[in-house]
Every structure is written in C-alpha cells, then in structure tokens.
Amino acid sequence: MPVEVVGNEFAQVAVSVDTDANSPRLRIEDLRSGRVRFLDALELETLVHLPEGKLQSLLDPSADRWREDRE
C-alpha cells in the first residue's frame, strides 16, 4: 500500500488506498494527531461535487478540529 504525504504550513496527512474492506477506500491519516479517516468512492465523489461555499465551511478549522467537546 503506497503512502504519500501531502502537507503545507497548516496540515500534513498521509494518504493511501486501503483494500482491507469490501471495496477500495482512501485512508487519510493526520500525521499530527494520528487520527485516521476512511473515505469510500461515494464520499469522494460527493466531495468533488460540493459547491465551493460548502467546501469552504468544511475547511473552517474552528468548526470542529480544535474543539475539545468533539467525539
């Protein structure tokens, strides 16, 4: 499973394709926190079709990333 690191001054993640589930899915690991998220094809396609405004609201770091009361 090749792993690529994608980063900039704000974030750094390791990205790979996971084939252990029923179908291939993207595995994304936040290298700072170790938190991992898997995205299947439907979730990835949904991201592609999100209007720019909705994507920008998802990228707001104050919405969830640094909140202590999240899951």
Side-chain angles (χ1 to χ4, degrees), residues 3-23:
V3 176
E4 297 289 335
V5 174
V6 179
N8 63 19
E9 66 269 34
F10 302 109
Q12 190 168 35
V13 295
V15 180
S16 61
V17 175
D18 176 79
T19 57
D20 292 339
N22 290 335
S23 60

Side-chain angles (χ1 to χ4, degrees), residues 27 30 46 51:
R27 181 185 187 276
D30 177 356
T46 300

Side-chain angles (χ1 to χ4, degrees), residues 3-69:
V3 176
E4 297 289 335
V5 174
V6 179
N8 63 19
E9 66 269 34
F10 302 109
Q12 190 168 35
V13 295
V15 180
S16 61
V17 175
D18 176 79
T19 57
D20 292 339
N22 290 335
S23 60
R25 56 190 181 164
L26 191 65
R27 181 185 187 276
I28 305 170
E29 179 179 358
D30 177 356
L31 294 178
R32 185 174 40 120
S33 69
R35 186 177 171 122
V36 174
R37 170 78 64 180
F38 294 94
L39 297 174
D40 66 18
L42 178 60
E43 293 166 325
L44 292 169
E45 184 181 283
T46 300
L47 287 175
V48 170
H49 289 280
L50 272 179
E52 193 65 28
K54 286 190 177 184
L55 184 61
Q56 290 301 321
S57 67
L58 288 174
L59 296 176
D60 178 2
S62 64
D64 289 309
R65 194 179 316 161
W66 293 310
R67 291 178 56 160
E68 293 185 18
D69 60 342

